[in-house]
Every structure is written in C-alpha cells, then in structure tokens.
C-alpha cells in the first residue's frame, strides 16, 4: 500500500475535519492528535494526509 507524501499543517487538518485550526492545536495539546510525522526546519509539526485520515475516522466527537 502506498503512503501519501502530502504533509498537512494545522490549517489543512482543520479544513479536512471542518473545525478551526485552534481546535486542532487544542487536540494536540490535550494528547488527542497523533504525534507529528515530521517537524519541519522551522519547528512546525506536519502530518501525512494518511495519518490524519485514519485518525479522523476515530477522532473524539466524530459522528
């Protein structure tokens, strides 16, 4: 199975799950978001799209 190489920021995750980026940051602060797959050179966390898609299917409050 091939893995997507797209890396998502807080904003891209927020768009995917229809919330504000601050909500995604809060998920991370509270340990509800998976650990980042990559931390870029600027220190910003990034997640593979596949990581987030899998998490989104089982995320807190997902209907």
């Amino acid at each position: 199975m091939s893995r997507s190489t797209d890396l998502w920021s807080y904003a891209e995750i927020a768009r995917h799950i229809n919330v504000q980026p601050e909500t995604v940051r809060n998920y991370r602060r509270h340990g509800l978001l998976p650990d980042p797959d990559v931390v870029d050179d600027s220190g910003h966390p990034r997640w593979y799209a596949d990581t987030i898609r899998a998490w989104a299917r089982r995320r807190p409050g997902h209907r």
Side-chain angles (χ1 to χ4, degrees):
M1 178 176 187
S2 68
R3 182 179 178 121
S4 170
T5 57
D6 293 338
L7 287 169
W8 287 3
S9 66
Y10 287 123
E12 291 158 324
I13 295 168
R15 274 193 298 275
H16 181 70
I17 62 173
N18 297 314
V19 298
Q20 294 297 313
E22 189 57 32
T23 301
V24 180
R25 286 184 188 90
N26 282 330
Y27 280 160
R28 183 166 183 223
R29 257 183 239 118
H30 293 286
L32 302 173
L33 194 66
D35 288 335
D37 292 304
V38 174
V39 176
D40 69 18
D41 293 338
S42 300
H44 297 113
R46 300 285 186 249
W47 293 261
Y48 287 114
D50 291 346
T51 299
I52 296 305
R53 286 184 187 111
W55 168 81
R57 287 190 293 271
R58 63 183 191 285
R59 77 180 172 95
H62 179 64
R63 292 173 236 136

